[in-house]
Amino acid sequence: MTMKLPSPPGLPLVGHGLSIPVDRPVAYLLRLARAWGPIYRIDFFGREMTFVSGLDLVSELCDESRFRKNVHDDLVNLRELGGDGLFTAYNDEPNWRKAHDILLPSFSLGAMRGYHERMKQVARGLLAKWERAGDTPVDVAADMTRLTLDTIGLCGFDYDFASFESDEPHPFVEALVRALAYAQAKATFVPGLGFLYARRTARYKADLAYMSELVDELIRRRRATGDRRTDDLLGRMLNSADPLDDLNVRHQVITFLVAGHETTSGALSFALYNLAKHPAALARAQEEVDALWGDSEPDPGFGDVGKLRYIRQVIMESLRLFPTAPAFAVEPLADTVIGGRYEVRKGETLMVLTSQLHRDPAWGDNVELFDPERFAPEREDARPVHAFKAFGSGERACIGRQFALHEATLVLALLVHRFRLVDHDDYQLAIKETLTLKPDGFTLRVAPRTPAPRRAASEDVDTGAPQGKVATGTAITVLHGSTMGTCAGITHDLAGQGRAYGFGATVASLDQAKGGLPATGEPVVIVTASYNGRPTDDAGAFVEWLTGLEPGSLDGVRYALLGVGDRNWSATYQRIPTLVDDRLRAAGAVPLVERGVADVSGDFAGAVDRWAGGLWRRLLEEYGGAEPDDEGRPMHSVEEVADWRSEAYGVLPMRVLAAEDLAPLGRPKLHLRLALPDGVAYRTGDHFALLPQNPPHLVEAAAVRFGLDLDRTVRIRASRHTRLPVDEPLTIRRLLTEVLDLRGPATPEQVAVLAEHTSCPHQRRALAAGEHGGRGVLDLLAEYAACDLPFARYLDLATMLRPRTYSVSSSALAEPGTVDLMVSPLADGIASAYLAATREGDVLHARVLPGPEPYRLLEDESAPAILVAAGTGLAPFRGVIRDRLHRGASGTLLCYFGCDDPDVDYLHRAELEAAESAGVVSMRPAFSKAPVDGVHFVQDRILRESAEVWQALSDGARVYVCGDGRHMAPGVRAAFVGVHRAATGGDAERGEAWLEGLIASGRYVEDVWSGPEAT
């Protein structure tokens, strides 16, 4: 039997419309929840709204098969600001899914590593401001707003609001606060009396115009530079294979500027309030940071943030008590009943009051008490998954939660390590509501902590294998389920470690293992994650196969499994790793070690290392060789030590078998062939990550500048975490050649340090104020002779050389033991110069990486395909052609290839023409400097042959494009739109929609680059 929803008494006609205070609506709704229970309905001028806060009911509402996000009136009001951005988009608006898929990789673990340094840069601005405050109280919420706005501006859009350079808030912040307050107040405006609010509405419109123009200028500035990088949010939106339109980019940027700073600043403000009011918790937090950083001024590494478990618990408990986004709304997909008795209608707004949900009895006694131990891992695991909803729920939950928590944890740790927090005015909490929550009028006095109470502690963790045991060459298979590359990277690291112990390790995706796992006792190692509770892109087929196995199907299989996830997504945390583990056991497989759990929001690297250490100990105990008798053995032995580069990057030494210039008459095009180490395999279309070295002239210049002896052997020591090879004996020559990036452009933070070490006032001002055009630290040191930067300080600033990625151009079928590369060297590229100087017999350090998964479909010779490339973009397609030649295939394969001149840079011409004569491929070259029939570029030839191209597409052909993403790829996209128009008579809009459909279905695939040193 259904029941009428509880409802407090209201007035005729207006209902509760006149009872809701304009400036404190959330507090009013929470009072009603405490009085009327876990669900109630109110009437607002004839419009009914239902509010829910009981855990059982909220758990129902989080079932995405029955409910979805509701864009309620407050969000509708915000659509003038955020349009179809991620937060305010309607569920059926296509830009939500498109933007979500484009932006999701921006919040992967790898992307977070890239944001870390800029987060520290902004945090240091906050620390400096508080240092200068002296006895003057600091406005906590205002300074946290400055911090978070500058952080999202720099990390997301490479825009510096420079908020700490002024005592007044940035005009964007003032406009935003007014706009949010207006959007909240508008929900309480009396219908039909809009003239009463005309002045506020005009101010709101002006604020919207100002914010929109600021963001549009930001977009114009990026486009004007021709910058095609995709390492921040703006770059991904503008430069992805299927970019967002500029209006939607504006909406997304404003959304991130609002959501990326407003809620995080509130979370930090409440955390500082709670610590100031709870000295025991503050002491515990300080004990944690002191144990990690001691009494030195820290330079936290990315991995440090995951070790700050109690700091993270402080933030989470603050979000429990004061969720800065205090509510979220869902709507039923159909008329239904909730709680077994309450009828709700399709599309009806059901508002979840997060603040009250976080006080449900599931949280135990004393729910108003600040207790960070509520978020200890064991208590989190025991709590219902839907009890904590500070970031919303389901697929439309906050995409940037990991960004926000990393930033908040880093900043809070730095603050409590540096300062004593003095509640000088016995502040009594008052909450300011502007759609989000913040403490109002909260100030602190801050005083630097002295070194005496800052104690350092160290922890030795044994993660290695037993001494004296050597694996006997047993094969080991390492499988990954990975959408954004984290798990794939771990599997390659594990494979490298296994090879160092003597195992013959191979790496593959889980889908590649569908249909069978080794049942001969050969160990199988699996690293996998969940993607919104579902298998990752490369694991869906494996999971489907695994769930259909009968008991006993995997008898004899020995496996180890590491589950990767983010505990903040509690409803789906470890869902797929747990499922895979359970199904493996049910089918008869036997675990070698207990399933590992690595939380990317915690001590991720430590968890992976500890699990891997236990795995190797177990494997070496079982598969290691016995110690031979000492009698008759030589007194000395030679032990090979793993190179630090192998440990840092997973690269292995590989010998160069051939090095030649494929275009000696034109622009250089290098062809390299390398021998793969034993146990290393690849698939056609894979990528190759190569670690370069600095050229000798740069190394010598650095040595001269710092007065160093290149042949002197040194050992780097570090007082805190660093990626440099610590405690590794190195000559200065090796350090400068193999470790440090001597050419990378100087960051503003590095320039500021150079200015601090410059004695000449004129040069110091020029350094601090100048635009340095991408020059590196060494270039600036050469120009500003008055800068006396010690070498040890230079090491603090320096970045490490990183691997550069190239497409493999050989066939795994025809040449399984070697890889070929094609490289276009650039005059100013570190990797280019290194490879240009490479000769036969040299040893390079590299690793194989999985290529784009859609390229695997090219292995099916019966499926027609169209290949489009220019220059060294031909690389993966040469491998495909050689694959098909090796198999004797003859299916439809059109290859459009662009170069300058047939006699100058038609790469591998004789080989490709021989393959064409064998019926394997139809080559369609285009020569920009020797055009034939007006065809200069591949896109010209595609249009000229549009009828044949359309016929291939009609037969189901897939299109693969590889090469320059700045010029060639957009031209090819336009050519295919032209093919559609020629075949159908449609207009450009229909052609673009058709092409978008091909892209969405995986029939049009791009593997393009815009950076200078990726091929």
Side-chain angles (χ1 to χ4, degrees):
M1 175 181 293
T2 60
M3 296 176 58
K4 184 178 180 181
L5 282 167
S7 178
L11 299 174
L13 299 179
V14 300
H16 305 89
L18 300 180
S19 303
I20 303 175
V22 174
D23 59 342
R24 301 266 297 168
V26 175
Y28 173 80
L29 295 170
L30 292 176
R31 283 199 302 273
L32 291 183
R34 288 191 289 271
W36 288 87
I39 184 169
Y40 65 89
R41 178 173 284 169
I42 64 172
D43 179 299
F44 185 79
F45 296 107
R47 188 177 75 247
E48 291 184 330
M49 291 186 68
T50 300
F51 294 88
V52 183
S53 58
L55 175 58
D56 291 344
L57 291 168
V58 172
S59 297
E60 264 194 87
L61 301 187
C62 293
D63 179 355
E64 291 187 275
S65 67
R66 298 174 60 202
F67 301 89
R68 66 178 184 176
K69 175 168 178 166
N70 172 264
V71 181
H72 53 88
D73 288 346
D74 284 349
L75 295 189
V76 171
N77 294 338
L78 280 176
R79 280 180 60 88
E80 291 184 82
L81 182 64
D84 57 353
L86 289 179
F87 185 52
T88 48
Y90 293 114
N91 293 293
D92 56 357
E93 286 185 294
N95 271 338
W96 178 83
R97 171 60 64 189
K98 181 177 179 181
H100 181 271
D101 291 348
I102 288 173
L103 290 166
L104 189 62
S106 297
F107 299 99
S108 67
L109 187 66
M112 293 302 306
R113 291 182 186 276
Y115 302 141
H116 179 76
E117 290 301 318
R118 287 201 154 182
M119 288 183 179
K120 282 196 302 187
Q121 175 186 341
V122 179
R124 287 186 177 123
L126 171 66
L127 295 176
K129 183 178 187 297
W130 281 21
E131 286 275 11
R132 296 192 300 268
D135 290 333
T136 304
V138 296
D139 185 332
V140 174
D143 282 345
M144 295 307 108
T145 298
R146 290 184 173 93
L147 169 102
T148 53
L149 180 69
D150 284 8
T151 299
I152 188 59
L154 281 172
C155 293
F157 317 109
D158 199 22
Y159 182 85
D160 189 359
F161 284 94
S163 300
F164 289 111
E165 295 180 8
S166 171
D167 290 334
E168 298 300 319
H170 192 281
F172 182 91
V173 173
E174 295 181 314
L176 173 62
V177 170
R178 286 193 299 265
L180 292 178
Y182 177 89
Q184 176 175 276
K186 187 177 179 182
T188 65
F189 288 178
V190 178
L193 299 181
F195 65 90
L196 295 177
Y197 318 110
R199 186 172 180 180
R200 291 188 67 180
T201 301
R203 174 75 263 185
Y204 174 65
K205 297 289 186 184
D207 288 334
L208 289 183
Y210 167 76
M211 288 187 284
S212 297
E213 176 55 31
L214 184 148
V215 171
D216 288 346
E217 174 58 26
L218 189 153
I219 297 169
R220 287 193 295 268
R221 184 183 304 178
R222 178 69 67 91
R223 286 202 184 282
T225 64
D227 188 341
R228 298 286 298 178
R229 61 192 172 92
T230 57
D231 59 352
D232 65 5
L233 300 176
L234 184 58
R236 283 196 175 274
M237 291 188 283
L238 295 178
N239 302 321
S240 65
D242 183 19
L244 302 176
D245 63 79
D246 280 7
L247 178 59
N248 186 253
V249 172
R250 176 210 288 177
H251 293 155
Q252 305 296 355
V253 172
I254 290 177
T255 296
F256 277 108
L257 287 174
V258 174
H261 97 275
E262 183 70 8
T263 53
T264 310
S265 62
L268 276 166
S269 300
F270 282 121
L272 287 164
Y273 162 78
N274 284 320
L275 289 178
K277 291 294 186 180
H278 297 86
L282 176 59
R284 173 87 179 273
Q286 289 173 331
E287 180 181 353
E288 180 176 69
V289 295
D290 292 347
L292 186 61
W293 295 326
D295 61 1
S296 62
E297 292 309 317
D299 182 19
F302 178 83
D304 283 357
V305 176
K307 298 173 183 176
L308 297 165
R309 297 175 185 173
Y310 190 75
I311 295 287
R312 177 69 65 97
Q313 290 172 211
V314 168
I315 293 167
M316 299 298 278
E317 174 68 352
S318 298
L319 284 169
R320 181 189 72 83
L321 286 169
F322 309 109
T324 49
F328 67 92
V330 299
E331 62 186 38
L333 297 174
D335 291 353
T336 188
V337 174
I338 60 175
R341 50 185 172 171
Y342 300 118
E343 290 183 347
V344 289
R345 300 179 300 276
K346 177 181 178 180
E348 176 184 351
T349 298
L350 305 174
M351 187 75 70
V352 175
L353 292 173
T354 313
S355 294
Q356 193 62 25
L357 169 68
H358 290 177
R359 288 160 171 81
D360 188 270
W363 291 93
D365 299 329
N366 301 317
V367 292
E368 297 296 339
L369 179 67
F370 173 71
D371 179 11
E373 286 302 319
R374 296 183 205 272
F375 286 89
E378 62 277 4
R379 291 178 66 177
E380 278 198 278
D381 291 342
R383 193 162 48 241
V385 295
H386 297 297
F388 183 76
K389 290 292 177 182
F391 298 98
S393 182
E395 196 172 38
R396 297 286 305 261
C398 174
I399 193 175
R401 68 176 69 182
Q402 188 56 38
F403 181 99
L405 288 173
H406 187 91
E407 175 190 8
T409 304
L410 171 67
V411 171
L412 187 61
L414 288 171
L415 289 174
V416 300
H417 182 262
R418 176 78 68 90
F419 298 107
R420 290 187 294 112
L421 308 179
V422 182
D423 182 16
H424 65 102
D425 201 28
D426 190 23
Y427 173 75
Q428 300 302 303
L429 181 62
I431 294 178
K432 182 177 182 179
E433 298 184 23
T434 54
L435 289 183
T436 63
L437 307 181
K438 285 184 181 178
D440 192 18
F442 175 41
T443 62
L444 287 172
R445 277 204 180 100
V446 293
R449 298 174 68 212
T450 59
R454 302 203 294 198
R455 302 173 301 280
S458 62
E459 180 182 2
D460 294 323
V461 179
D462 178 17
T463 61
Q467 297 296 315
K469 292 208 172 182
V470 179
T472 60
T474 303
I476 184 172
T477 301
V478 190
L479 304 174
H480 58 74
S482 187
T483 291
M484 292 186 285
T486 299
C487 292
I490 294 172
T491 57
H492 282 280
D493 291 341
L494 290 171
Q497 294 168 16
R499 295 183 193 111
Y501 291 134
F503 289 92
T506 57
V507 176
S509 71
L510 280 168
D511 278 352
Q512 289 174 260
K514 179 190 71 171
L517 295 172
T520 58
E522 171 187 323
V524 177
V525 178
I526 297 172
V527 183
T528 189
S530 302
Y531 178 67
N532 284 332
R534 300 185 296 272
T536 56
D537 293 346
D538 57 356
F542 175 86
V543 172
E544 183 179 359
W545 166 75
L546 183 63
T547 54
L549 293 181
E550 297 294 329
S553 301
L554 297 180
D555 285 350
V557 172
R558 311 287 304 282
Y559 76 95
L561 190 150
L562 174 65
V564 172
D566 185 342
R567 189 180 292 275
N568 293 307
W569 299 81
S570 56
T572 58
Y573 181 57
Q574 298 288 329
R575 177 177 291 173
I576 295 303
T578 302
L579 172 65
V580 170
D581 192 26
D582 290 345
R583 297 308 305 164
L584 285 169
R585 291 175 189 253
V590 176
L592 289 156
V593 293
E594 286 300 309
R595 175 168 58 91
V597 175
D599 176 12
V600 298
S601 65
D603 183 12
F604 180 74
V608 173
D609 288 345
R610 287 187 289 273
W611 180 83
L615 170 66
W616 296 124
R617 281 194 292 273
R618 179 72 183 91
L619 290 176
L620 289 175
E621 286 168 4
E622 182 157 343
Y623 299 99
E627 287 290 320
D629 197 325
D630 281 346
E631 186 174 348
R633 291 177 62 195
M635 182 172 63
H636 298 100
S637 63
V638 177
E639 178 185 2
E640 185 174 345
V641 179
D643 190 285
W644 71 269
R645 289 170 290 190
S646 298
E647 298 179 358
Y649 297 110
V651 295
L652 297 170
M654 302 187 189
R655 187 167 300 280
V656 178
L657 301 179
E660 60 178 332
D661 188 350
L662 294 172
L665 300 179
R667 293 176 292 175
K669 298 287 189 294
L670 304 179
H671 171 230
L672 299 176
R673 176 165 294 164
L674 294 92
L676 291 173
D678 291 342
V680 177
Y682 73 100
R683 296 177 68 184
T684 302
D686 274 349
H687 290 166
F688 198 74
L690 185 141
L691 187 63
Q693 296 183 5
N694 291 305
H697 73 275
L698 273 185
V699 172
E700 291 165 4
V704 170
R705 179 63 177 82
F706 290 108
L708 303 173
D709 178 358
L710 287 171
D711 295 320
R712 182 181 177 188
T713 299
V714 298
R715 190 192 307 269
I716 298 174
R717 304 287 193 189
S719 61
R720 52 188 178 267
H721 176 73
T722 176
R723 292 198 66 191
L724 296 178
V726 177
D727 297 330
E728 178 92 8
L730 290 171
T731 64
I732 293 292
R733 189 183 306 276
R734 283 195 67 195
L735 177 64
L736 297 177
T737 301
E738 301 174 3
V739 181
L740 306 178
D741 186 345
L742 302 182
R743 186 169 276 168
T747 66
E749 182 182 17
Q750 291 170 331
V751 172
V753 174
L754 295 183
E756 291 174 4
H757 287 81
T758 301
S759 55
C760 170
H762 173 73
Q763 290 193 8
R764 184 168 60 249
R765 285 193 297 271
L767 257 176
E771 293 288 337
H772 300 294
R775 285 178 294 169
V777 171
L778 281 181
D779 297 325
L780 296 178
L781 287 172
E783 180 177 350
Y784 296 94
C787 180
D788 185 20
L789 183 74
F791 184 62
R793 191 70 178 99
Y794 174 72
L795 291 181
D796 292 343
L797 299 181
T799 56
M800 294 177 67
L801 286 167
R802 58 177 178 81
R804 271 61 164 181
T805 302
Y806 302 89
S807 294
V808 172
S809 69
S810 50
S811 160
L813 293 179
E815 303 97 14
T818 63
V819 293
D820 286 5
L821 303 179
M822 281 191 269
V823 181
S824 295
L826 301 174
D828 59 349
I830 287 286
S832 295
Y834 178 51
L835 293 178
T838 296
R839 299 292 180 264
E840 181 180 339
D842 289 349
V843 174
L844 309 182
H845 283 77
R847 68 188 281 186
V848 175
L849 296 174
E853 198 63 28
Y855 274 45
R856 308 305 184 204
L857 297 173
L858 285 167
E859 297 172 0
D860 180 3
E861 62 196 55
S862 66
I866 302 171
L867 313 179
V868 186
T872 54
L874 178 67
F877 302 147
R878 176 186 178 239
V880 170
I881 293 168
R882 289 177 68 80
D883 256 9
R884 294 196 174 198
L885 182 64
H886 185 79
R887 291 196 302 262
S890 57
T892 300
L893 188 66
L894 310 182
C895 182
Y896 289 89
F897 169 58
C899 60
D900 291 341
D901 189 284
D903 298 321
V904 175
D905 59 351
Y906 192 153
L907 307 180
H908 296 287
R909 179 177 183 178
E911 174 188 304
L912 295 173
E913 289 179 341
E916 185 172 34
S917 298
V920 170
V921 63
S922 175
M923 295 298 301
R924 311 296 177 91
F927 309 110
S928 61
K929 295 185 178 178
V932 177
D933 297 331
V935 171
H936 289 77
F937 304 106
V938 287
Q939 52 264 45
D940 300 334
R941 186 154 184 176
I942 290 168
L943 281 172
R944 182 177 289 272
E945 299 173 357
S946 61
E948 186 176 1
V949 172
W950 182 255
Q951 183 59 53
L953 290 167
S954 300
D955 293 339
R958 296 176 182 271
V959 181
Y960 298 86
V961 183
C962 184
D964 166 40
R966 185 172 300 181
H967 303 293
M968 187 271 281
V972 172
R973 287 196 295 270
F976 274 92
V977 171
V979 168
H980 179 272
R981 296 182 66 186
T984 66
D987 57 17
E989 184 176 354
R990 290 184 179 179
E992 289 170 357
W994 166 79
L995 182 60
E996 288 177 3
L998 284 186
I999 294 170
S1001 66
R1003 288 188 57 200
Y1004 189 99
V1005 180
E1006 292 182 326
D1007 184 13
V1008 299
W1009 65 86
S1010 57
E1013 293 203 332
T1015 297

